[in-house]
Amino acid sequence: MSIRHGLLALLERGPRYGSQLRTEFESRTGSTWPLNVGQVYTTLARLERDGLVAPDGEDAAGHTLYAITDTGRAELREWYERPVDRANPPRDELSIKLAMAVGAPGVDIRAVIQSQRHATIRAMQDYTRLKATALAAVESGRSGERDDVAWLLVLEQLIFQTEAEARWLDHCEARLVRLSLPADRRAAAPEPPQAAAETPAPHTTRPRTARTRRA
Amino acid sequence: MPDQRQPQQPVLQLERLVRTHGSGATEVHALRGIDLAVYPGELVAVMGPSGSGKSTLLTLAGGLDAPTSGRVLVEGTDITAASRKQLAALRRRSIGYVFQDYNLIPALTAAENVALPRELDGISARKARASALAALEEMGLIALADRFPDEMSGGQQQRVAIARALVGDRRLVLADEPTGALDSETGESVLALLRSRCDAGAAGVLVTHEPRFAAWADRVVFLRDGSVVDETMRSHADSLLSGQAGGQ
Ligand SMILES: Nc1ncnc2c1ncn2[C@@H]1O[C@H](COP(=O)(O)OP(=O)(O)OP(=O)(O)O)[C@@H](O)[C@H]1O
Ligand SMILES: [Mg+2]
């Protein structure tokens, strides 16, 4: 986990004390990943043990300051340059849940999917609103802080992540519906029954680019 | 927020709306009794698998098709009971429609396209143009006023289509996959405009397959096989984030 590197990155900007690090970390990530002071001090202790930071006296108010060491700087460079490990994808509760729900007795997998979709879209609604606010702050230049830009990027990451989840849920549902159709109906399914007497509504056979793209 | 809106009259109200195509063996239940109210200031997104009835819902709401049973009220008027003439007038004065593509008339400039519904409504060409320019100005699109559709990007055309949907005092915009053919950045600009028009008091119904666009709405309604199966409300975002557990 990168609290370690997050703290090193903040310390590269100059010596800081524990609760200050926590505040700055949260203002960049918009308290998406809240840290408690305890975590900050534990991490600082480990960084100090590993020689990546060192105590650097006290400020006027008596807070113990920490400074990054040369080893710490090298470690930080290396972190920026090294891609985040994708070889061992983190365990994902949702995919485990759906994997278990397939064919599970008494479980309505479409209901499981819908309740997750509800939660996911709702989270996206919230992120989107926060994003609109952050974007307005950045664009008006009102904030003048790089923290707003950092926060915006974090929010957008959350939006893309939830979007991927929502799309995957749509896909799972469509896949399950297709697989559950008997073969003869499956062949007939794409053709909607056509009532000859009906005047064609404007949308009847309009091809949809979106669907082609999603296929 | 819906709690402030409840006492207001919905701009759009669907009551037990049913649409069945054909009969007997070829019968298709496109909508099976939909209830939905959209209030001023609200943007509602409609999502659902292909064939679930989303476009049907919009065409009925816009008076482009008639329900098998049930009612559609636009600003309190039952459009299913209106005469052909009344319906045409309602469509010109109250309802704006935005499709996936082919929204603008190619031979007319942006300003002329936006002025069209008002001119059709019998307003003088000069007044119609003035209100079209006012609408374009208000939506940050004035630079496009004298361009023809083929001189605008897809996203610009869709934004002009939204301006046309909401010109004058029209307050209901019905949009069926308005971002369908656009890339995600351009699609976002169309949504941002729709959102800001709703924040300014219009009511919008947006059909979309894209969760990221639906997320701009106040409410997301999920259709499946012609019925509403679920609906999300917007929660208070700040409490959501501060309540979230540490991750990653
Ligand atoms: N004129 C018609 N005659 C017969 N059936 C129709 C007609 N118009 C629509 N339908 C059927 O009604 C159902 C709902 O169609 P609708 O176009 O509303 O779906 P949709 O949710 O908009 O789908 P998509 O996401 O593919 O645009 C479908 O089963 C469709 O085949
Ligand atoms: Mg459709």
Side-chain angles (χ1 to χ4, degrees), chain B residues 134-212:
Chain B
L136 288 170
E137 173 86 63
E138 201 185 328
M139 303 187 200
L141 302 170
I142 194 71
L144 304 173
D146 295 319
R147 294 220 210 147
F148 289 92
D150 65 2
E151 299 166 342
M152 290 185 264
S153 73
Q156 289 169 334
Q157 291 186 41
Q158 291 301 65
R159 279 178 284 164
V160 170
I162 291 172
R164 186 181 57 185
L166 292 170
V167 69
D169 42 9
R170 298 205 286 179
R171 288 202 305 159
L172 176 60
V173 52
L174 304 171
D176 196 348
E177 303 263 10
T179 55
L182 306 175
D183 66 48
S184 82
E185 197 60 32
T186 317
E188 192 110 314
S189 68
V190 171
L191 256 297
L193 180 64
L194 200 53
R195 176 73 262 174
S196 79
R197 293 333 289 160
C198 292
D199 289 338
V205 183
L206 163 74
V207 165
T208 182
H209 271 97
E210 302 284 339
R212 194 148 37 87

Side-chain angles (χ1 to χ4, degrees), chain A residues 4 7 13 25 34 36 47 51 64 83 94 97 100 110-111 113 116 118 120-121 123 134 142 151 159 164-165 176 189:
Chain A
R4 220 172 129 82
L7 297 189
R13 292 154 201 266
F25 186 92
N36 60 48
L47 287 168
T64 306
L94 179 57
K97 192 188 272 190
M100 295 302 161
R110 288 181 87 183
I113 290 174
Q116 185 61 46
H118 182 122
T120 304
I121 299 269
R142 210 175 344 105
W151 170 217
I159 291 170
E165 189 171 291
L176 290 167

Side-chain angles (χ1 to χ4, degrees), chain B residues 13-21 28-37 52-54 56-57 60 66-72 221-231:
Chain B
Q13 190 157 14
L14 308 181
E15 290 176 0
R16 309 299 310 151
L17 205 58
V18 173
R19 179 68 169 103
T20 308
H21 292 287
V28 178
H29 299 279
L31 291 183
R32 303 170 189 259
I34 302 282
D35 290 298
L36 179 71
S52 58
K54 306 180 297 294
T56 304
L57 187 153
L60 291 175
T68 305
S69 66
R71 300 204 304 164
V72 178
V221 170
F222 297 93
L223 284 190
R224 190 194 289 158
D225 302 330
S227 303
V228 173
V229 291
D230 195 10
E231 198 175 308

Side-chain angles (χ1 to χ4, degrees), chain A residues 1-2 30-34 90 108 110-111 113-115 117-119 121-132 135 151 155-164 166-167 170 173-174 192-195 198-199 201-203 206-211 213-214, chain B residues 1 19-23 25-28 47 49-51 55-56 59 64-65 99-101 176-177 179-182 184 188 209-220 222 224-225 229-238 240-242 244-248:
Chain A
M1 163 62 195
S2 43
S31 51
T32 316
W33 299 289
D108 177 357
R110 288 181 87 183
I113 290 174
Q114 181 55 35
S115 82
R117 182 188 282 127
H118 182 122
I121 299 269
R122 182 164 150 161
M124 283 184 82
Q125 287 175 272
D126 292 329
Y127 297 147
T128 302
R129 194 155 57 105
L130 290 169
K131 172 186 160 172
L135 200 57
W151 170 217
L155 272 173
E156 288 181 323
Q157 193 266 350
L158 291 168
I159 291 170
F160 279 107
Q161 201 173 297
T162 41
E163 179 187 26
R167 281 169 172 279
D170 288 351
E173 183 167 354
Q194 214 66 53
E198 209 87 38
T199 44
H203 58 292
R206 192 157 50 87
R208 279 200 27 252
T209 10
R211 183 168 42 205
R213 187 154 42 82
R214 288 161 53 85
Chain B
M1 294 284 122
R19 179 68 169 103
T20 308
H21 292 287
S23 61
T26 60
E27 201 168 71
V28 178
M47 300 190 81
S50 186
S55 296
T56 304
T59 48
L64 300 174
D65 181 21
F99 297 99
Q100 180 173 321
D101 34 36
D176 196 348
E177 303 263 10
T179 55
L182 306 175
S184 82
E188 192 110 314
H209 271 97
E210 302 284 339
R212 194 148 37 87
F213 296 142
W216 287 77
D218 299 295
R219 258 192 298 157
V220 181
F222 297 93
R224 190 194 289 158
D225 302 330
V229 291
D230 195 10
E231 198 175 308
T232 74
M233 303 292 284
R234 197 162 72 174
S235 71
H236 198 271
D238 312 296
L240 172 119
L241 281 181
S242 57
Q244 192 169 315
Q248 304 272 348

